[in-house]
Amino acid sequence: KIIHNQFIHQNLISRYSSSNSMKVLDQEKGIDASLFNKTDLAKKYLLMANFFVETNRLEPFVAVYFVVLIGWNPLNIGIIAAVVSVVSILFQIPVGDFLDKTPYKKTVTVIALLVASITTACVGWTDNFLVVLVAKAIEGVAAVIFLPALTAFVFGICTVTEEIPRFIATNEVSNKIGSTLFTLCCGLITYFLYPDIASMFYLLGAGGVTAAFFIALIPSSAIDMDRARQLRREAVGEGESDEEDEEWVENMSEVVSYSAVLKDRKILAFAVATFLYHFANAGVLPLLVQYVATGNERTSMVFTSASLLTTYVFQGITAQALRSIIEKVAPKNLLIAAHFVLIIRCTMIISMIQWWDNDYTLIATQALDGVGAGIYDTLLPLMVSLLTGGTGRFGFTYSLILTCWRLGHGASFLLGEAIVHAVSYQAAFLTLVGIAIFSLLWLVILVDHPPLLANKIQRFNPFFDEEMMKVVFRKRVLAYMREIGGEFSIDGLNDVFLSIDEIDKNGTLEKDEMALFLEKLSDSSNLESAEEIDHIDLDALFRAIDTDGNGKIEFAEFVNYLKDAEQDALSVASA
């Protein structure tokens, strides 16, 4: 028989959109309505944590503080950056894998933020190179924990796929507003309290403590640990009666192997692209502020703050702009734009140093840094999500990408400072331009990603995910089969397949034929609950059925996708 009652919770989707949705959920499925209030609170607390957390605000201050004010050799800053990168390589991937598996993400994140706060503040206590080196290495370990954890919280808290890209951008906006205000305060401290400016590091440390406080406030029940690691769950009805079919259990999809992730060409290509982009980009800002600040100790930190303020303001504006276009423009195209911005920025800096060496115009180029960084920082977690959806290895893969990011970051610092020490600032910037061009070519030629899907479910149902779309489509196909007088069998499925293949009748289904079929189901007056088709995303459905990815659905793929709707009948028919 065709098990219609197995799809009982799908009816909750439409009813949840009504004004009495909370009451319906509570009465019919015993779902706690406070879940939705907790979700709202969790989002607010996560936004506040991102506002206060120190992610990349400190490095330029450290570079200028020790090189210009303390008198360090610029190469020492490059060594510290390289050591932090090595530490990240050693810890980032194991930590990411650990975050995938642990149910104590909140506790681990709070501890990491507190440790990073202490190491941030300790820069103001000593100018001993070895002490600072060890402190920065410890901070590197803490950062490899809280950065992927904060991103995982976005996926674990968001209750529908549709809102994830925009919420990622919103968190980026919050972080950059915080960066702007903290940097402004640091600039004021360095100007009015000079030469006693160590208090700015204490301010940044206090920000980390506050971020830890807000993470601790996030309700644990509002974080779905499976969604946080991008692991799909499938609801399966196993009852033999109508009443038992209403009892749903959640089966965790099989987590893909580590080797499958490491062999994925798309993931590896994006990992290399991330390394190359940050290899070209990371060294530009500290080199620029060092160049502007050299010879003017009193205003050196003010110029540093001005550079960062310009960057963060435009980074926040860019992230805000992405909130409205991130679902409409392919992520790869946006990343290409970020590369062009980087190349233009470095070229302008080289030209200004040569022909118009003005501190203020040089600082103004940081507006382009804000645009490029706003694009890349916002899209990084989204790209990883697209590449790992349903695998259960988001933390592992995201940490792999962050490792490449940090490696490129440290290598850029080390290479830039070494070239400045051996040749000149212009030579360093010119080298970074060359790396940026190579990175752009790599991105255009080798990087690809699945399409960014727009989930058509406007409200959240705890049982709904892409697997639910699969269930709805199966149900509609079975109902359509009955309408045309067929029975569930290979022949019956073939009749449905041929009725879909009505445009070119070439024995395969193209996307336009699937679109017409879905429209036919929606318009059919004989099909009950035809509005369920509105819950199906054409791109997602076509990609799910087209397992070999050749852009055409063969009959075997069509049967394979539908076989779970009546496994026993298919088995008998196949035999």
Side-chain angles (χ1 to χ4, degrees):
K1 69 175 184 178
I2 299 174
I3 309 175
H4 280 289
N5 286 332
Q6 193 179 38
F7 308 95
I8 189 69
H9 72 257
Q10 170 61 22
N11 295 327
L12 292 175
I13 296 174
S14 57
R15 276 178 282 179
Y16 178 66
S17 299
S18 68
S19 59
N20 295 322
S21 57
M22 290 295 186
K23 188 179 297 184
V24 170
L25 286 173
D26 286 342
Q27 292 175 351
E28 298 190 12
K29 297 301 291 182
I31 299 172
D32 185 3
S34 64
L35 165 67
F36 305 96
N37 293 328
K38 291 179 180 178
T39 298
D40 289 339
L41 281 176
K43 289 180 179 179
K44 293 176 182 178
Y45 291 145
L46 184 59
L47 286 172
M48 292 304 298
N50 274 284
F51 176 90
F52 285 101
V53 72
E54 192 283 307
T55 53
N56 57 358
R57 303 167 188 167
L58 186 61
E59 289 171 341
F61 283 117
V62 171
V64 174
Y65 177 75
F66 283 116
V67 172
V68 178
L69 298 182
I70 304 301
W72 278 15
N73 187 318
L75 192 59
N76 288 349
I77 297 298
I79 292 173
I80 289 177
V83 168
V84 172
S85 295
V86 171
V87 169
S88 300
I89 293 172
L90 295 176
F91 287 94
Q92 186 77 76
I93 295 177
V95 165
D97 187 47
F98 168 74
L99 288 173
D100 273 339
K101 298 172 181 176
T102 181
Y104 304 108
K105 290 181 177 64
K106 267 182 53 180
T107 302
V108 173
T109 305
V110 168
I111 294 174
L113 285 169
L114 292 176
V115 170
S117 300
I118 295 173
T119 57
T120 296
C122 82
V123 173
W125 303 339
T126 179
D127 59 2
N128 183 279
F129 173 72
L130 289 179
V131 174
V132 174
L133 180 65
V134 171
K136 294 292 104 182
I138 295 174
E139 185 176 324
V141 176
V144 302
I145 296 174
F146 70 73
L147 284 178
L150 290 174
T151 303
F153 288 149
V154 171
F155 295 99
I157 291 173
C158 283
T159 52
V160 68
T161 306
E162 183 184 53
E163 65 180 331
I164 289 176
R166 184 166 296 186
F167 190 53
I168 289 174
T170 302
N171 275 277
E172 186 68 15
V173 172
S174 177
N175 182 256
K176 296 320 164 203
I177 292 175
S179 296
T180 300
L181 295 179
F182 271 88
T183 303
L184 178 61
C185 290
C186 287
L188 294 175
I189 288 173
T190 58
Y191 186 79
F192 289 105
L193 299 183
Y194 180 87
D196 184 17
I197 64 173
S199 55
M200 71 174 180
F201 298 112
Y202 307 148
L203 174 65
L204 293 171
V209 173
T210 308
F213 170 74
F214 280 109
I215 291 296
L217 289 180
I218 295 177
S220 298
S221 58
I223 305 173
D224 186 310
M225 295 302 173
D226 290 339
R227 284 203 307 267
R229 65 183 300 188
Q230 292 289 278
L231 183 64
R232 292 176 185 164
R233 292 169 299 168
E234 184 171 353
V236 181
E238 298 183 322
E240 296 181 355
S241 66
D242 290 348
E243 292 77 12
E244 291 174 344
D245 282 335
E246 296 180 8
E247 297 297 327
W248 286 76
V249 295
E250 294 181 35
N251 289 344
M252 184 180 296
S253 300
E254 183 178 356
V255 178
V256 303
S257 64
Y258 298 108
S259 61
V261 173
L262 296 175
K263 292 178 181 177
D264 189 295
R265 185 192 66 80
K266 293 181 179 180
I267 292 176
L268 294 179
F270 182 62
V272 174
T274 300
F275 166 79
L276 290 173
Y277 178 81
H278 288 89
F279 190 20
N281 181 69
V284 178
L285 174 58
L287 290 178
L288 180 64
V289 294
Q290 282 177 210
Y291 177 81
V292 171
T294 301
N296 195 338
E297 292 186 1
R298 177 63 187 263
T299 60
S300 60
M301 284 297 185
V302 176
F303 275 120
T304 301
S305 296
S307 299
L308 294 176
L309 278 172
T310 304
T311 300
Y312 295 142
V313 167
F314 280 89
Q315 195 168 352
I317 293 173
T318 302
Q320 178 65 23
L322 286 174
R323 293 182 72 247
S324 60
I325 68 171
I326 197 168
E327 297 173 355
K328 303 174 184 177
V329 182
K332 180 176 177 178
N333 292 338
L334 292 172
L335 293 176
I336 290 173
H339 278 75
F340 275 113
V341 169
L342 171 59
I343 294 170
I344 293 171
R345 170 186 166 216
C346 290
T347 303
M348 289 178 62
I349 292 173
I350 295 171
S351 301
M352 289 178 181
I353 292 176
Q354 180 66 36
W355 292 294
W356 190 19
D357 193 0
N358 182 281
D359 292 342
Y360 298 99
T361 56
L362 286 171
I363 294 300
T365 63
Q366 285 307 112
L368 295 177
D369 184 25
V371 174
I375 294 173
Y376 213 102
D377 289 359
T378 302
L379 290 179
L380 184 62
L382 182 60
M383 281 287 292
V384 177
S385 173
L386 291 174
L387 293 170
T388 60
T391 65
R393 295 294 186 195
F394 174 81
F396 175 81
T397 307
Y398 189 59
S399 293
L400 172 66
I401 302 299
L402 285 181
T403 297
C404 295
W405 168 56
R406 290 182 176 280
L407 182 60
H409 204 262
S412 183
F413 272 25
L414 183 59
L415 178 64
E417 297 289 3
I419 294 176
V420 167
H421 184 69
V423 188
S424 67
Y425 280 98
Q426 285 176 294
F429 289 123
L430 186 60
T431 302
L432 297 179
V433 168
I435 298 172
I437 293 174
F438 181 77
S439 178
L440 174 62
L441 294 175
W442 179 278
L443 175 67
V444 171
I445 298 172
L446 296 175
V447 174
D448 194 12
H449 59 78
L452 181 62
L453 302 180
N455 193 324
K456 295 183 184 300
I457 306 302
Q458 299 301 314
R459 300 295 299 275
F460 170 63
N461 183 296
F463 299 104
F464 193 94
D465 58 14
E466 193 169 328
E467 290 298 324
M468 194 62 233
M469 177 185 66
K470 186 176 183 179
V471 170
V472 172
F473 181 72
R474 289 171 180 164
K475 177 182 178 182
R476 297 293 89 221
V477 168
L478 294 175
Y480 177 78
M481 190 182 301
R482 289 200 313 276
E483 186 190 36
I484 63 176
E487 296 180 355
F488 194 91
S489 64
I490 293 296
D491 290 338
L493 288 176
N494 186 56
D495 291 339
V496 175
F497 186 89
L498 293 176
S499 71
I500 302 174
D501 184 27
E502 60 182 9
I503 295 180
D504 53 20
K505 301 185 184 301
N506 63 351
T508 60
L509 305 182
E510 283 74 36
K511 188 175 292 186
D512 54 350
E513 292 174 324
M514 288 292 292
L516 288 175
F517 179 64
L518 294 179
E519 184 178 350
K520 180 189 297 183
L521 294 183
S522 296
D523 294 339
S524 175
S525 58
N526 295 327
L527 293 181
E528 59 189 58
S529 302
E531 68 273 13
E532 290 177 350
I533 296 300
D534 291 337
H535 298 318
I536 294 179
D537 181 274
L538 174 61
D539 291 333
L541 178 66
F542 195 89
R543 190 180 72 254
I545 303 177
D546 180 26
T547 55
D548 62 5
N550 67 352
K552 300 178 183 296
I553 296 176
E554 286 79 25
F555 180 66
E557 293 173 324
F558 186 72
V559 172
N560 186 63
Y561 190 74
L562 294 169
K563 65 183 180 181
D564 291 339
E566 188 59 274
Q567 183 65 51
D568 292 339
L570 269 180
S571 300
V572 172
S574 299

